[in-house]
Amino acid sequence: MYLNLPLRALLTSSPFAFRSNFTTILPDVNAYWNAYEQISELNVHLNIFERLWAAWYQYMENDTLATGIMSFVMHELVYFGRSLPWIIIDAIPYFRRWKIQDTKIPTPAEQWRCTKMVLFSHFTVELPQIWLFHPMCKYFGMDTGVPFPHWTKMAYQIAIFFIMEDTWHYWFHRAFHWGPLYKYVHKIHHTYSAPFGLAAEYASPIEVMALGLGTVGSPLLWCYFTQDLHILTVYLWIVFRLFQAIDAHSGYEFPWSLHHFLPFWAGAEHHDVHHEKFVGNYASSFRWWDYMLDTEAGPEAAKKRRERKIAKDAAKARKVQ
């Protein structure tokens, strides 16, 4: 229950109004704003976003349903909303100068085929999991009420999730490039050797669940051990992670791309090479795992490996002499 206040008792009308003329049940928007006004009167210390949040749960009268709808809608809006600018950029020749594989531009037919596959995955694989998200949050002790945590707490927790997920992603992604797993699971994601934004979640259901567990499991694991996490922090983390995944698949390398300012950031330049070469560059957000374990891909990485080999052979030759 939200706020631990008797707000539900103040609402005598259902949040859904029956329209007998159309034999359908439609949301009663007025009930939501009535809940918002009542919460505002009783909780003047809350900011507008916290009031809107609490009113949504009060209006729905079912926390599992409220979290499920909000989570799914958030995911769809962010995923396709962030992909849309890349679709537009792909259609404008001016931006080809920054296209990494500039001879491979996705066609409208390819983008539409990708969209259908992603939507199918969202509704058949991700939606059932999202439906169980609220019970999992409560089981692990996650806070879903108001007020929200301070932005500094959310910032450092999200930074930790990026590191945790990147580690998970590196090892599982690398495993998916092992023979049978690549052939029967991961090959679907490599349908496009020159990726584009919409293709970030173009993958088999097994891969979606395995790699997605790193995204959702990282905050759940953190919450289990710390008992200090708000679901809003998780939402913001997922938004940032979606932005990272879609941008990494965009296929564009700009002078203002983030890795020019944060050298350890992966970005499109890092992941595009992975799709082009079908090997190496397994990490999601950062470059350090590939650097430490010598799984970097691309001409520069190959050149460094050759130079190290030449130096090693020369050292052996000197010892023999």
Side-chain angles (χ1 to χ4, degrees), residues 156-205:
Y156 87 75
Q157 289 177 340
I158 291 171
I160 291 172
F161 300 155
F162 263 109
I163 295 171
M164 293 174 67
E165 189 281 333
D166 183 71
T167 302
W168 176 277
H169 190 101
Y170 175 86
W171 288 105
F172 270 79
H173 187 190
R174 186 171 177 177
F176 277 132
H177 276 263
W178 172 67
L181 285 179
Y182 181 84
K183 182 179 180 180
Y184 296 109
V185 179
H186 189 52
K187 189 176 181 179
I188 296 174
H189 184 66
H190 278 276
T191 299
Y192 306 104
S193 59
F196 48 94
L198 277 169
E201 292 186 355
Y202 185 87
S204 75

Side-chain angles (χ1 to χ4, degrees), residues 12-237:
T12 57
S13 61
S14 170
F16 298 98
F18 182 71
R19 299 289 186 88
S20 58
N21 293 339
F22 300 100
T23 64
T24 58
I25 298 178
L26 299 176
D28 182 3
V29 178
N30 290 330
Y32 172 81
W33 291 111
N34 287 339
Y36 175 81
E37 291 175 1
Q38 292 170 355
I39 288 172
S40 299
E41 290 176 3
L42 294 173
N43 300 274
V44 293
H45 62 288
L46 299 179
N47 63 44
I48 185 173
F49 299 107
E50 292 166 337
R51 296 174 188 180
L52 290 170
W53 178 282
W56 167 250
Y57 279 87
Q58 183 68 46
Y59 164 74
M60 289 302 299
E61 298 183 346
N62 184 313
D63 291 353
T64 298
L65 186 61
T67 299
I69 292 175
M70 187 162 54
S71 301
F72 186 73
V73 170
M74 180 270 294
H75 182 271
E76 298 308 290
L77 288 177
V78 173
Y79 187 85
F80 290 103
R82 183 53 188 161
S83 297
L84 182 59
W86 296 117
I87 296 174
I88 296 172
I89 286 173
D90 279 329
I92 302 175
Y94 171 79
F95 291 101
R96 303 286 160 77
R97 68 190 72 183
W98 293 298
K99 179 79 168 135
I100 299 170
Q101 300 183 56
D102 58 358
T103 61
K104 300 178 182 179
I105 307 300
T107 65
E110 288 177 324
Q111 297 201 357
W112 175 236
R113 184 167 62 248
C114 179
T115 299
K116 290 189 291 184
M117 174 70 173
V118 169
L119 281 172
F120 179 78
S121 176
H122 286 181
F123 279 91
T124 59
V125 179
E126 297 185 18
L127 183 57
Q129 298 176 59
I130 288 175
W131 185 259
L132 298 174
F133 188 49
H134 188 87
M136 284 194 300
C137 291
K138 303 314 292 184
Y139 176 80
F140 284 98
M142 194 179 300
D143 184 11
T144 57
V146 289
F148 297 148
H150 194 271
W151 72 267
T152 55
K153 174 184 282 190
M154 292 192 289
Y156 87 75
Q157 289 177 340
I158 291 171
I160 291 172
F161 300 155
F162 263 109
I163 295 171
M164 293 174 67
E165 189 281 333
D166 183 71
T167 302
W168 176 277
H169 190 101
Y170 175 86
W171 288 105
F172 270 79
H173 187 190
R174 186 171 177 177
F176 277 132
H177 276 263
W178 172 67
L181 285 179
Y182 181 84
K183 182 179 180 180
Y184 296 109
V185 179
H186 189 52
K187 189 176 181 179
I188 296 174
H189 184 66
H190 278 276
T191 299
Y192 306 104
S193 59
F196 48 94
L198 277 169
E201 292 186 355
Y202 185 87
S204 75
I206 295 174
E207 181 173 348
V208 170
M209 289 188 289
L211 296 183
L213 184 59
T215 301
V216 178
S218 295
L220 289 178
L221 186 64
W222 170 269
C223 185
Y224 176 78
F225 284 105
T226 67
Q227 293 294 296
D228 182 19
L229 184 64
H230 196 283
I231 194 173
L232 177 63
T233 307
V234 180
Y235 281 166
L236 291 175
W237 147 241

